[in-house]
Amino acid sequence: MSSVISRRQALAEGTSIGAIRYRVDRGDWQQVFRATYVRHTGEVTWLERVEAAALARGVGAVVSLRCALHLWGLHPEQPSIITLAEHFDTHRSSSLDGVRTRRRRRLTVARRYGIPVTTLPQTVLDVIALRPQDVDGSMALITRAVSSRKVTVAQLRAELVHHPRHPAGDLLREALTAAEEGLGSAAEVRYARDVEEAHGLPRMQRQSPLDPEDGLARMRRLDFRDPARRLAVEIDGALWHRERQLVDRQRDREVAGQGGVVLRAGWVEVVSHPCRLAADVAAAQQARGWTGSPRPCGHTCAVGSDPRSAEAG
């Protein structure tokens, strides 16, 4: 049973107005918003406050944006401002302290912890629309949502159809294509676009299993792999736990034992120095048999002035 209850629900359960007032006066119940209460003493949790806000706002109110994203487990922080959504033909003049409500023409509803929330596909698209120019943040959210297995690329594409004027529509289509290819982080997406494709490097396999016969194949994957030249590129897009680092190092040693090479790069190299990284990867590919040449992406591109490319040519 939920600790949050509205006056209407309490009356339906047979509790009189007088009994409600008595319990509030004694401190057994606490009023969170008008006509909504928590049935305990002590601190009111964020989750209880969110549930109370939806109840107080009325039928049809749904938790949305980053509050919904937190309830879906994809946003680490509990937003201080509660965000609700309701259908566009709902007209209510009252407001709640610390709560923002907006009306929507499209509103798809699910439930998390017993609370009505926007479905995850709509939540993801709504959050991205708040900051459509934040390419990295949008890419990261898409890949995080898909890798959580709480939503699929197909579901996100289907939702995007209902938002033909989405301010980040082109970016979303690009991010969804990247997710379909198995790119697991914003850094990997950046590498594929700004390093590999922008400089004409041979296209490597995405998320390639190190050993398909291994029961740990799901954990032991290489971000980018060129089997023919036994070359792989690993992108460290985040700070990993020590256990993950140990797994990665063991995998790198196994690749070396098979005559392969693993090149590692982090967010700084991918984002701030993609041309320098492209030159390094191209040199490694040429040293292992690639007969082509990398393509400078502009007049100041490091690939164009790299002596290794000139020697290979």
Side-chain angles (χ1 to χ4, degrees), residues 10-301:
L11 293 173
E13 290 179 2
T15 306
S16 67
I17 292 291
I20 294 173
R21 289 173 180 167
Y22 176 74
R23 291 173 183 177
V24 172
D25 291 342
R26 277 185 42 138
D28 296 333
W29 287 14
Q30 300 177 71
Q31 182 169 325
V32 185
F33 297 104
R34 63 174 183 276
T36 55
Y37 316 90
V38 289
R39 294 179 283 190
H40 63 71
T41 59
E43 184 179 356
V44 177
T45 68
W46 181 85
L47 193 64
E48 289 172 333
R49 185 172 171 78
V50 169
E51 183 177 357
L55 274 177
R57 185 64 186 173
V59 177
V62 179
V63 181
S64 66
L65 298 176
R66 290 190 177 90
C67 286
L69 201 61
H70 179 77
L71 292 177
W72 282 107
L74 293 175
H75 185 68
E77 300 175 358
Q78 297 175 341
S80 57
I81 299 297
I82 297 171
T83 50
L84 301 178
E86 54 193 19
H87 202 260
F88 79 101
D89 59 4
T90 302
H91 298 283
R92 297 179 176 125
S93 59
S94 57
S95 62
L96 304 173
D97 289 340
V99 179
R100 292 177 183 167
T101 305
R102 62 177 187 168
R103 292 183 292 164
R104 300 292 311 276
R105 287 190 174 275
R106 176 172 173 77
L107 197 58
T108 57
V109 184
R111 298 191 80 84
R112 296 286 290 176
Y113 308 102
I115 303 172
V117 301
T118 49
T119 59
L120 187 51
Q122 182 168 17
T123 300
V124 169
L125 266 61
D126 287 351
V127 169
I128 289 175
L130 295 176
R131 298 180 63 185
Q133 304 306 317
D134 182 7
V135 176
D136 294 338
S138 298
M139 290 287 192
L141 177 54
I142 291 288
T143 53
R144 189 165 70 249
V146 173
S147 62
S148 75
R149 300 193 174 189
K150 295 176 181 177
V151 69
T152 65
V153 172
Q155 289 171 327
L156 290 169
R157 283 194 188 280
E159 180 64 29
L160 185 57
V161 170
H162 297 283
H163 304 265
R165 297 182 180 178
H166 194 287
D170 291 341
L171 171 63
L172 279 165
R173 283 180 277 274
E174 177 186 354
L176 292 174
T177 297
E180 283 177 325
E181 292 183 353
L183 302 183
S185 73
E188 290 175 39
V189 173
R190 285 276 194 134
Y191 175 85
R193 184 190 66 195
D194 299 341
V195 177
E196 186 180 86
E197 296 173 13
H199 297 92
L201 302 182
R203 191 180 191 282
M204 293 187 179
Q205 295 177 355
R206 274 64 164 149
Q207 293 295 312
S208 176
L210 178 60
D211 183 356
E213 302 298 324
D214 196 325
L216 297 177
R218 187 180 165 198
M219 292 177 58
R220 293 154 46 87
R221 291 176 179 269
L222 294 162
D223 294 338
F224 298 89
R225 191 182 194 187
D226 184 340
R229 284 178 275 276
R230 298 191 202 179
L231 181 68
V233 176
E234 277 289 290
I235 307 299
D236 296 327
L239 298 176
W240 301 103
H241 294 296
R242 183 173 181 272
E243 293 78 7
R244 175 59 185 269
Q245 292 176 336
L246 293 175
V247 170
D248 287 349
R249 290 170 187 166
Q250 179 183 357
R251 180 196 53 203
D252 292 354
R253 291 193 295 271
E254 290 184 27
V255 171
Q258 298 168 1
V261 173
V262 177
L263 304 180
R264 285 193 170 273
W267 179 259
V268 173
E269 294 101 310
V270 173
V271 175
S272 300
H273 309 289
C275 300
R276 179 77 270 164
L277 179 56
D280 291 340
V281 174
Q285 289 172 317
Q286 290 170 331
R288 302 182 74 81
W290 182 40
T291 57
S293 298
R295 178 181 65 246
C297 65
H299 296 299
T300 61
C301 180

